[in-house]
Each structure stands twice: as structure tokens, then as C-alpha cells.
Amino acid sequence: MAKAKKPQPVSTGVQGLDEILRGGLPPKNFYMLQGAPGSGKTTAALQFLRAGLDQGERCIYVSLSQTEAELASIAVSHGWSMDGIRVEELSASDDVNGAADQTIFQTAELRLDETRLAIERAIDEYKPSRLVYDSLLEIRLLTGDTPRFRRELIGFKAFLAKRNVVALLLDTQTSEGVNAEEVEGIAHGVIRFDKSLEEYGPVRRRMEVSKMRGVAIADGYHDMAIRSGDGVVVFPRIVPDHATQNHKPELIKSGLSTLDDLFGGGQESGTTTLVIGQAGTGKSTMASLYATAALNRGEHVALFLFEERLETFFRRSEGLGLNMREFYDSGRLTIRDFNPNDISPGEFAQIVQQIVTAEDSRVVVIDSFTGYLNSVPHRDKAVRDIQSLLKYLARSGVLTMLIVAQHGLLGQNVGIDVDVSFLGDTVLLLRISEHDGRLRRNITVVKKRHGPHDLDVHELLIDSSGVKVVPYNPIPEA
């Protein structure tokens, strides 16, 4: 007996969401999209219908809560058009198709029946493949109790199933007078949008697919955003196992032999190096050395800046004789700088993943991890997110340089906000000390998981002539 062919999933039209759903929504089913007002439900619903239009499908938006003009305004804000989408504008609380003329006082049951019939007539007349129902709140208020609300949804689900309609029902996810689990059990899948306002900064958005029958979804929360022109954008969590693992292990050189000797000849590809130190110890300079060496070898490098401006970075590098501007102009060096609070951990991880995959980057620098932590509200979650990203980069054969700033100056009150030592395969510690009116930079490899390394303290010299690593000789007492 021939095996039944698996039906093609239906695209949601929401960037990133189809990936979480392993291709899209199973066809001919009934789904709920839940979220508080302003969470992006209507925008995502329009994206769902527009994706249908792109496939040549008929689409209808049944609105019990918004006018056609309001929907058009949302579409225009993203540069979209409502052309091709039929809007059936109804009211569950006022007169529906003249029902108000039948009696002075309309009962809730009469309004509910008239609303249902109007929707069914519109569907039978237009014969859509996709439908958005906005929203369940009005129907919930009319039914008044869970059993009747549940019966209404079951009846509507059966009606749509006979007509092979994929339906997306919007809901404010209120639990007032309703057993949410009973209602959600009717739907084939439930998607939730969530937004929260922190003490400082913009609204943080995330989503989860709390239920999807027959699909091995990427469960849990995923960061999301609403972007002008793009609508709702979802950033699926990084899965390290999805990395391309076809790179042979190799030693990554810095271009400075005395520095490479500290690491037993060089650093291994597919590892993470924590460069830890206080302000002025030369952390970014160390990363720039490895980046420049990789660029000179003809490799691609990606830098992600959270503290330093792009022009400042170029000028600092040029002051050390490292001309990285020309590599940036040629496209061999990709640099992205971020403003605090403008990006979520999920979006950052996706940007890194896309650049590394598209350009086959061999060295990645994140400067600094401290700035990254300061740009997100929940530090513990941010550490877990970046741990997944680092594993992905490691399995892609990338050397990742993670800059970690310590508090304090000149050895006083030294500390780090979060313990990140477990993130690094290699730890390069940079310190600065004062002796007899002179500041001296020290460099030490305190950890290296792969192979031998030098445990001695060396002196790091940084000036206009370049960078040198020399044996540390104490200044003799006068």
C-alpha cells in the first residue's frame, strides 16, 4: 500500500515563524493566535492573508472589533495594501443585517445567531482558502458561559473543515469566565504573543507555540519584534546542532609569533576565547590582531560592537598600524554596531548566524560581552542564549573572541558582573599595574582546554609602532 503523501504546510507569512513550525501550519485546520492588545496579532494576521494572496488563494478578514479603515491604516503603516483581501466588517453587539429592526431589545442569543449566519454567508459566497476571525472576545461576551462558547467554536470549526478553510482566530487570551484549557483544546494549534515593558527601554516582545498537533515544533519562547515594512518578525532560538560541521580543525594565528607562542603555537578553530581585563588593558587590540591576521589570509571576519563606534574602532586600529577600513570597504570584514536596548538576544544570535553562514566567517569578535549584557533586561537568560550561539559558532569551525570587561582600575575592586568563565575554551587575562610611576600591561593565558600553553606572565607593549609581547622583567628597586 502506497504511503500517503504528507500535505504541504501553509506559510504563516511571518518571518521566522515558519521555521519554528517546521515549514508552516498544517493545512485545513483551525488555529488560535492569542495576545494582549498591541502585541502584534492584527499585523501577523494580515501577513498570514498576504502570504495566501502570494499563492493565488482567496482570503477573507472577518472583523468584529476593527473597521476596514483601521485595518487599512495598519497595512499602510507597513507599506502594504489590502487589495485582494475581502474584509467582512460585522458587529456582534449592534445590529447585524437588519436584526435590530426585528425587536426593540435584542437578546444576546439573537445577536449571536445573526453574527454566525452573516459570517457563514460571507464564507459560502466568497469561498476563501484562508480566513482571519477578529476577535473571539466579542463572541465570548455574547455566549456568557464556557459551555456555550465552546459549542460555538466547535460548530464553527466543523463548518470551516467542510470547506477546507485554514482559519486564524485572534483572541485577547482573557480567562474571565472561561476555562482557557477547554477552549484551546478545540484548536489544532495555539500561538501566543507576549509583550512586557521593562523599567527602562523599549517594549520587549516574545512568542511561543504552546500547542501544535502533529508537528515537532521548536517549543519555548522566541524573541520577536514589530518592524515597519516587515511586520511581525520572529527570531528562532539558535540550535547548535544545525551548524555546518565540515571544517577541519586548524591553528589560528595572530600574526604575532610571541603571542602565538603563549597558546602553544596558536588558537584552535571551533573554540571560544574570553579576553578579560580592565579598561585600557588592550582587550580590543588583542581581538583586532586576530581579525587582521585572518583578513590578511583571505578569510572573512565578523565584528559585533556594543560599546565602540565604528569610526572610533577604525581610528584606534589605524593608530596601531592595522588598516581594517579597506577590508570593511571591500566586504571581507563585516562590522555591526548596536545601540543599547535596541536588540534582543534572539535577534542578535540570528544576525550572527546569518552573517557567519552567508560569508563563511572564520573569526568572530563580540566586543564586548559586558555591553551585550547591559543591552538586555534578563542577564541569566542572555548568558544561556549566548552559550547556545557560542556552541553554534564552535561547531561551525569559528574562532570566537569574546571581550569581557572587568570593573575597577589599576587592580582595585576588580570584578565581573556575571560568571562567564565556563563559556570560554581559552581565557586570556590582561592586567595593568603601577610601579614606580609607570603603568605596565601584563598578559597571561590562564586556561586552554586544547593542548599546552604558557603559564608565565608576560608584558604587553602597545604603542604607535604596533603590539609586542615580551618576557616580564620586574623593574629593579632604586
Side-chain angles (χ1 to χ4, degrees):
M1 185 175 179
K3 187 177 180 181
K5 188 177 180 181
K6 187 177 180 180
Q8 285 293 108
V10 175
S11 173
T12 63
V14 176
Q15 181 180 329
L17 182 53
D18 287 351
E19 181 181 338
I20 293 170
L21 296 171
R22 304 296 187 240
L25 298 167
K28 305 177 184 179
N29 285 306
F30 174 96
Y31 302 93
M32 295 178 68
L33 176 56
Q34 300 177 333
S39 59
K41 300 187 301 299
T42 303
T43 301
L46 291 176
Q47 291 172 255
F48 169 69
L49 296 183
R50 285 170 54 81
L53 291 179
D54 290 342
Q55 298 297 319
E57 301 172 0
R58 290 191 169 194
C59 302
I60 186 170
Y61 195 113
V62 176
S63 179
L64 279 69
S65 59
Q66 299 191 76
T67 66
E68 185 171 359
E70 288 172 332
L71 294 173
S73 177
I74 294 172
V76 168
S77 71
H78 292 288
W80 306 336
S81 169
M82 294 294 291
D83 293 347
I85 299 176
R86 173 166 173 172
V87 178
E88 195 69 22
E89 186 181 336
L90 302 173
S91 172
S93 56
D94 297 323
D95 61 301
V96 180
N97 292 338
D101 296 334
Q102 301 174 19
T103 178
I104 296 176
F105 299 104
Q106 274 188 273
T107 65
E109 183 132 350
L110 176 60
R111 294 199 300 271
L112 183 63
D113 291 342
E114 288 296 325
T115 300
R116 183 195 319 112
L117 290 173
I119 293 171
E120 291 177 353
R121 280 196 297 268
I123 293 172
D124 282 336
E125 175 189 337
Y126 194 61
K127 296 180 174 55
S129 298
R130 299 189 185 209
L131 174 140
V132 167
Y133 191 107
D134 183 8
S135 73
L136 290 180
L137 175 61
E138 284 73 13
I139 303 303
R140 180 185 287 114
L141 294 175
L142 284 179
T143 55
D145 59 73
T146 300
R148 180 62 193 273
F149 182 56
R150 181 179 170 83
R151 286 197 300 272
E152 282 293 321
L153 289 184
I154 292 174
F156 189 51
K157 177 182 179 181
F159 176 85
L160 294 173
K162 290 179 181 179
R163 290 153 180 81
N164 295 327
V165 178
V166 182
L168 190 64
L169 278 65
L170 310 189
D171 193 11
T172 54
Q173 198 180 351
T174 177
S175 59
E176 183 179 352
V178 175
N179 187 317
E181 292 183 1
E182 286 187 27
V183 173
E184 292 171 9
I186 301 170
H188 194 84
V190 179
I191 300 170
R192 292 196 176 111
F193 285 179
D194 177 59
K195 70 171 187 175
S196 61
L197 186 62
E198 306 296 330
E199 292 184 4
Y200 178 79
V203 169
R204 299 284 176 174
R205 302 180 186 275
R206 60 181 184 171
M207 61 77 59
E208 69 156 336
V209 180
S210 63
K211 168 189 173 181
M212 191 60 62
R213 291 181 182 139
V215 178
I217 58 170
D219 58 3
Y221 281 111
H222 305 265
D223 288 329
M224 61 172 271
I226 301 178
R227 299 283 166 75
S228 179
D230 295 325
V232 174
V233 181
V234 177
F235 309 107
R237 291 193 320 277
I238 293 293
V239 179
D241 290 343
H242 292 174
T244 303
Q245 304 182 49
N246 57 1
H247 294 282
K248 295 181 180 179
E250 58 179 334
L251 281 181
I252 306 295
K253 302 284 188 176
S254 66
L256 185 62
S257 60
T258 50
L259 177 58
D260 294 332
D261 290 343
L262 298 185
F263 296 99
Q267 298 201 57
E268 285 78 9
S269 59
T271 63
T272 299
T273 297
L274 301 184
V275 184
I276 301 177
Q278 300 158 277
T281 52
K283 302 183 298 299
S284 298
T285 299
M286 288 292 101
S288 295
L289 283 177
Y290 281 92
T292 302
L295 292 166
N296 286 330
R297 291 193 297 268
E299 300 168 355
H300 183 272
V301 175
L303 270 65
F304 303 96
L305 308 178
F306 282 91
E307 296 180 354
E308 198 169 30
R309 293 188 306 110
L310 189 59
E311 186 60 28
T312 304
F313 168 80
F314 284 139
R315 291 184 179 182
R316 178 180 54 77
S317 300
E318 288 165 354
L320 299 172
L322 307 174
N323 189 359
M324 304 184 77
R325 197 187 299 263
E326 63 182 41
F327 292 112
Y328 176 77
D329 292 337
S330 68
R332 294 251 309 282
L333 170 63
T334 297
I335 303 179
R336 294 288 303 272
D337 61 325
F338 304 99
N339 295 321
N341 301 302
D342 277 359
I343 193 168
S344 65
E347 182 177 4
F348 173 68
Q350 189 171 102
I351 289 172
V352 176
Q353 181 187 30
Q354 289 173 346
I355 291 174
V356 168
T357 302
E359 304 293 345
D360 192 26
S361 306
R362 297 292 84 218
V363 174
V364 167
V365 176
I366 301 175
D367 187 3
S368 71
F369 181 62
T370 310
Y372 167 81
L373 285 178
N374 289 336
S375 69
V376 297
H378 306 292
R379 294 193 170 195
D380 291 342
K381 178 181 180 300
V383 171
R384 292 194 298 271
D385 286 337
I386 206 164
Q387 185 177 18
S388 296
L389 174 60
L390 293 176
K391 286 184 177 180
Y392 177 90
L393 295 174
R395 295 182 184 188
S396 300
V398 175
L399 170 64
T400 305
M401 307 283 288
L402 195 62
I403 309 301
V404 182
Q406 290 179 309
H407 295 308
L409 294 170
L410 302 180
Q412 302 299 316
N413 302 317
V414 175
I416 302 175
D417 290 337
V418 180
D419 180 16
V420 294
S421 58
F422 66 95
L423 295 175
D425 301 292
T426 304
V427 176
L428 181 63
L429 179 62
L430 304 178
R431 293 174 293 176
I432 195 165
S433 60
E434 180 183 8
H435 191 281
D436 197 24
R438 176 189 170 195
L439 296 180
R440 304 180 72 183
R441 295 185 179 94
N442 302 331
I443 180 171
T444 312
V445 179
V446 298
K447 171 187 175 182
K448 187 169 183 283
R449 286 193 178 123
H450 306 277
H453 64 92
D454 194 327
L455 290 171
D456 292 340
V457 177
H458 289 69
E459 186 168 6
L460 177 64
L461 304 177
I462 303 175
D463 55 34
S464 58
S465 64
V467 181
K468 298 183 181 68
V469 175
V470 299
Y472 185 86
N473 295 313
I475 299 176
E477 296 290 341

